[in-house]
Amino acid sequence: MKKRLAFVVFGLIAAILTFVAYRQAPQALQQLDYRMKDARFRVRGPIKPDKNVVVVAIDHASIKEIGRWPWSREVTGRLIQNLASYGVKVTALDIVFSEPQNPAADAALASSIAKADNVVMGYFFRDEEQSVDPAAIAQMERATVKLMRVAEGVQSIPLTEYANLDVNLPQLGAGARDFGFFNARPDGDGLYRRSILLLLYNGDIYPSLALKALRHYLNSDIMLEVKSYGIDGLQIGSLRIPSREDGTMSLNYYGPAHSFRTVSAADVLKKRLKPDELKGAIAFVGATEIGIYDIRPTPFDATQPGVELHATVAANALERRFLKYDGITQMQEMLCILLLPILLGVVLAFVPGTFAGLAAFAGTAVLFLAVNYFGFTLGLRDMTIIYPMLGIGLTYLGSESWRNLVVEKKGRQLKKAFSNYVSPDLVREIEKNPDKLVLGGEQREISILFSDIRGFTTVSESLTPPELVTLLNEYLSPMTRIVLEEKGTLDKFIGDAVMAIFNAPLDVPGHAEHACAAAVRMLEELKRLNEGFAERGMHTLDIGVGINTGPAVVGNMGADIRFDYTAIGDSVNLASRLEGLNKYYGSHILVSEDTRNQVSSERFVFREVDRVRVKGKHLPIVMYELMITNLALLPQFEEGLEKYRAKQFVAAQQIFDRLVADYSDGPSRLYSNRCAEYLETPPPADWDGVYTAKSK
């Protein structure tokens, strides 16, 4: 019971730590959270916005036909008049006319704006000081928010305040219905995920271009609600827009650039549209030509035109498709952060081992991600992703670290029980030179062999202690004999695993070949043993073998009262890693490149399996499988591997799938899965074909 309680404690600690991080919101985690939220848009894919929100694009075709931007104001005036003639209800200009052109052109544009009587003109705030016509400032007075409900005790509103602004010429603004700013502000990573709805200037609150366009489209005033913590919401008639306390709104993007119904400004100017094509629409006029550079990187598109951000606000409002980040959303976030780690801790307390624990971790993570995603797509909840995942991850790492420490302790006890198995050659060497029984050692090149029973934990749990001892003895005895007959030294048993070294303590010419021969004989002997086990109704066994050749320190190591002749070093670790990787590749014997280079190709057949960075090694190694059966598949496998490394994943997958079907080949199955993953998420441009192993 105490052991199980430890898992729950790890979950509780992870929940508390994650909740503290959630409240502190460090920038690094916030940026990661933004990126994970961005992925939800891409998984969801594009959706159609409200058809009454239209972008009138100053696009490449318009620039090519009408001329370079900016156009003469007579041309812009004609564009505004034509939009009105098409029945556009509101024309919102993502453009500012702050400098005069010439009296005739300015007068023509002013006349067009007044005649249309549906124009919301754009302007923007700036930090740099500049002179502004007092008449233009006077015009801006009608752009402020007039209706506010302010809670008792509110002293200030946490909106961004500017000291200067760029406004339209008074002559042009005289006939405008209203004015709205088009300032935008990216997040720390440069992406635009929110729209600024409100800003402060000279103590007054000014709405954005999109808000002002909606105000006239719905023919209702803007009502602002202010609480002690900031902006609580905006009301335009019956439409409530959920603003954050700082006057911003999360954008629920519809897709990449040109997701909105878009008409070219040239088509409007030349009157090439159907008479009722724009009737009753709210039209945002702005540049989409990349050369004009009104570009806003978004979660969908790195080159999204800025005018589409205003259109997104309007479409979100008309469809009530707002991303919600209110008190309910925050409560859901906190419940996930606090409860999921504890839930995972309870599950880990009852699962039998590491692989089951990994499955529990993966299941909990997938469950949360599914809830988060469907909450986003169906409920429009803008919940955090990183913090609940952080809590789940911390719970898993802490719990499994503790579990492995306990398992390793039991493994050391089992290893001690088998410590008397030594090579006869070593016994004779000690008899000749008793002085070797001292601490210390020497460095020499050796070949190291590791073998391990697959799924031994499952086998052992189904046997009584006497049956388990019988099974181990019947398996380990012939394996030990094979090692010794191939002039190897049985270093130790580690539970059901066997470690053997060749070329120590005595010189063994061709030690790499002896190690490979021992591995092949082990597999052949295991086949014979399994036939006998099956006839007696016992469990059959499967093993994996890893072999490496390289320098290591060998000698008697331990304490004054107990010596063990053993080998240590990176070469030993690599052999162990190779043995463990058999489970991943579906192979039986994996050898390193150093071993392969010392073995005659006339006696053994190898195939290159992978180039991999194993745990504990920085430089990639080349791994080979020592083939025993299915030699006919080698040419096809080599062809598939060549296409895989050339990033020809479709062709490679076809070859590997054929090999899986014909031979049930483990490495081919693995490469088929990798090809599928890379087809979905291509590797980086500098990918060198090297795989990084994350576990032993």
Side-chain angles (χ1 to χ4, degrees):
M1 187 63 187
K2 290 183 179 179
K3 291 182 179 179
R4 289 179 175 176
L5 184 61
F7 290 96
V8 181
V9 171
F10 280 118
L12 181 60
I13 293 172
I16 294 172
L17 292 176
T18 306
F19 186 76
V20 172
Y22 170 73
R23 300 300 296 177
Q24 296 294 325
Q27 185 177 3
L29 288 179
Q30 286 297 105
Q31 294 296 329
L32 185 57
D33 199 34
Y34 286 147
R35 293 292 183 174
M36 297 177 79
K37 288 181 177 181
D38 293 345
R40 296 184 308 201
F41 282 109
R42 295 189 289 272
V43 172
R44 185 206 67 188
I47 55 178
K48 286 184 181 273
D50 190 294
K51 62 183 179 63
N52 288 320
V53 179
V54 177
V55 173
V56 178
I58 301 168
D59 55 7
H60 179 72
S62 298
I63 301 294
K64 189 174 181 181
E65 184 173 355
I66 307 302
R68 62 182 298 178
W69 181 261
W71 295 331
S72 170
R73 288 183 182 169
E74 292 96 337
V75 175
T76 307
R78 192 164 70 252
L79 175 67
I80 291 170
Q81 282 189 300
N82 287 355
L83 286 172
S85 69
Y86 276 120
V88 169
K89 190 171 182 180
V90 176
T91 297
L93 303 179
D94 188 19
I95 309 165
V96 62
F97 303 96
S98 58
E99 300 293 336
Q101 180 177 333
N102 61 65
D106 293 342
L109 178 56
S111 175
S112 296
I113 292 172
K115 287 179 181 178
D117 195 30
N118 70 345
V119 176
V120 177
M121 299 190 72
Y123 66 96
F124 66 94
F125 292 99
R126 61 167 64 245
D127 292 316
E128 300 84 0
E129 185 175 354
Q130 65 178 35
S131 60
V132 181
D133 191 325
I137 295 293
Q139 284 181 355
M140 294 298 297
E141 291 296 324
R142 56 191 166 110
T144 61
V145 174
K146 301 297 190 298
L147 302 177
M148 287 194 293
R149 281 198 289 261
V150 182
E152 186 177 351
V154 173
Q155 299 295 322
S156 63
I157 304 175
L159 299 177
T160 302
E161 185 167 9
Y162 285 89
N164 300 282
L165 73 169
D166 261 357
V167 292
N168 296 278
L169 296 172
Q171 177 186 2
L172 305 180
R177 290 289 297 275
D178 215 330
F179 307 92
F181 67 80
F182 48 77
N183 292 68
R185 183 170 58 241
D187 290 320
D189 59 356
L191 268 65
Y192 290 79
R193 300 180 178 88
R194 289 188 285 175
S195 176
I196 305 173
L197 301 180
L198 301 165
L199 288 174
L200 276 173
Y201 173 73
N202 277 349
D204 291 318
I205 298 176
Y206 289 80
S208 68
L209 181 67
L211 277 185
K212 281 295 189 176
L214 286 167
R215 175 253 183 278
H216 291 284
Y217 188 79
L218 300 174
N219 198 28
S220 295
D221 287 327
I222 297 173
M223 169 68 75
L224 179 62
E225 298 180 29
V226 183
K227 297 291 181 65
S228 57
Y229 51 80
I231 305 300
D232 184 60
L234 292 162
Q235 197 84 19
I236 305 178
S238 62
L239 171 64
R240 181 176 176 81
I241 299 176
S243 167
R244 294 199 177 192
E245 60 270 16
D246 62 352
T248 63
M249 184 190 92
S250 296
L251 291 171
N252 189 0
Y253 283 104
Y254 293 89
H258 314 303
S259 293
F260 285 88
R261 187 156 66 107
T262 303
V263 296
S264 175
D267 290 337
V268 176
L269 286 165
K270 301 296 184 180
K271 302 211 100 178
R272 292 192 285 252
L273 304 178
K274 296 177 182 178
D276 61 347
E277 188 166 344
L278 301 179
K279 187 175 182 180
I282 177 172
F284 290 90
V285 181
T288 63
E289 163 62 19
I290 293 179
I292 301 176
Y293 208 76
D294 182 24
I295 299 301
R296 301 285 185 264
T298 70
F300 263 115
D301 196 331
T303 58
Q304 194 133 3
V307 67
E308 294 193 4
L309 272 64
H310 310 306
T312 301
V313 174
N316 285 174
L318 295 179
E319 296 179 323
R320 272 66 169 179
R321 193 186 286 273
F322 300 110
L323 287 182
K324 303 170 188 173
Y325 191 76
D326 51 16
I328 295 175
T329 307
Q330 292 177 337
M331 182 61 68
Q332 291 172 341
E333 287 181 340
M334 290 187 283
L335 286 175
C336 289
I337 290 169
L338 293 173
L339 295 183
L340 286 178
I342 298 174
L343 173 64
L344 178 59
V346 172
V347 174
L348 291 174
F350 289 91
V351 298
T354 299
F355 289 108
L358 180 60
F361 163 69
T364 306
V366 169
L367 173 64
F368 165 70
L369 292 174
V371 169
N372 188 290
Y373 176 73
F374 287 111
F376 166 72
T377 56
L378 302 179
L380 300 178
R381 295 285 174 187
D382 193 21
M383 285 178 59
T384 181
I385 301 176
I386 185 61
Y387 293 104
M389 289 297 295
L390 178 63
I392 295 170
L394 289 175
T395 301
Y396 174 73
L397 291 175
S399 299
E400 288 305 312
S401 296
W402 185 82
R403 189 199 301 274
N404 288 336
L405 286 174
V406 173
V407 172
E408 287 179 3
K409 182 178 179 181
K410 293 179 179 178
R412 288 193 294 270
Q413 293 171 346
L414 184 59
K415 180 172 63 176
K416 182 178 179 181
F418 284 86
S419 62
N420 291 327
Y421 284 84
V422 294
S423 166
D425 288 335
L426 177 59
V427 173
R428 287 192 292 270
E429 186 69 20
I430 292 173
E431 289 174 346
K432 294 178 183 177
N433 302 286
D435 291 338
K436 285 197 172 183
L437 280 174
V438 296
L439 293 176
E442 62 177 332
Q443 179 166 316
R444 62 191 300 164
E445 183 187 78
I446 61 172
S447 292
I448 309 101
L449 178 149
F450 277 85
S451 73
D452 188 37
I453 299 176
R454 296 284 172 261
F456 181 71
T457 301
T458 303
V459 172
S460 63
E461 288 175 348
S462 64
L463 299 175
T464 64
E467 291 172 338
L468 180 60
V469 171
T470 299
L471 182 67
L472 274 175
N473 287 340
E474 290 193 36
Y475 164 73
L476 291 172
S477 294
M479 299 302 155
T480 302
R481 186 188 71 252
I482 289 171
V483 168
L484 301 182
E485 288 174 354
E486 290 296 334
K487 301 182 181 180
T489 297
L490 186 64
D491 187 291
K492 59 175 69 71
F493 295 116
I494 310 170
D496 59 298
V498 176
M499 174 183 172
I501 57 178
F502 299 79
N503 203 41
L506 304 177
D507 292 332
V508 178
H511 52 86
E513 285 204 14
H514 280 288
C516 291
V520 172
R521 290 181 59 187
M522 284 180 170
L523 267 296
E524 293 171 348
E525 180 63 20
L526 182 66
K527 182 178 179 181
R528 187 190 65 79
L529 287 173
N530 279 334
E531 292 174 354
F533 291 157
E535 291 175 358
R536 292 151 57 190
M538 298 172 62
H539 284 277
T540 58
L541 304 177
D542 189 22
I543 66 172
V545 181
I547 302 173
N548 180 42
T549 300
V553 175
V554 294
N556 293 292
M557 303 176 197
D560 291 335
I561 59 174
R562 173 64 186 271
F563 299 121
D564 275 325
Y565 188 86
T566 188
I568 61 173
D570 286 342
S571 297
V572 179
N573 296 335
L574 179 55
S576 176
R577 301 294 185 267
L578 290 170
E579 180 276 314
L581 286 171
N582 281 291
K583 291 179 284 187
Y584 180 74
Y585 290 95
S587 54
H588 284 93
I589 305 174
L590 289 177
V591 306
S592 68
E593 186 175 22
D594 290 330
T595 299
R596 167 69 184 87
N597 290 339
Q598 293 196 28
V599 175
S600 170
S601 57
E602 297 178 358
R603 184 176 180 185
F604 300 104
V605 177
F606 298 88
R607 67 164 161 177
E608 182 181 340
V609 171
D610 207 355
R611 298 168 186 169
V612 62
R613 292 184 183 91
V614 299
K615 186 177 180 182
K617 303 287 285 185
H618 297 292
L619 296 177
I621 65 164
V622 181
M623 292 190 311
Y624 294 84
E625 182 184 7
L626 201 170
M627 301 287 290
I628 300 176
T629 59
N630 296 333
L631 302 184
L633 64 77
L634 283 175
Q636 296 180 67
F637 181 85
E638 290 171 357
E639 180 185 359
L641 192 60
E642 181 179 352
K643 293 184 181 298
Y644 166 83
R645 289 174 178 163
K647 300 184 181 180
Q648 299 175 22
F649 297 119
V650 173
Q653 187 177 35
Q654 292 174 350
I655 294 173
F656 292 132
D657 285 344
R658 187 163 59 249
L659 294 179
V660 171
D662 294 344
Y663 300 96
S664 295
D665 185 51
S668 296
R669 181 177 290 106
L670 173 71
Y671 275 105
S672 176
N673 293 336
R674 282 193 196 169
C675 289
E677 292 174 3
Y678 283 141
L679 285 171
E680 182 176 351
T681 306
D686 60 348
W687 180 67
D688 58 0
V690 176
Y691 171 75
T692 300
K694 299 178 177 62
S695 61
K696 180 177 176 179

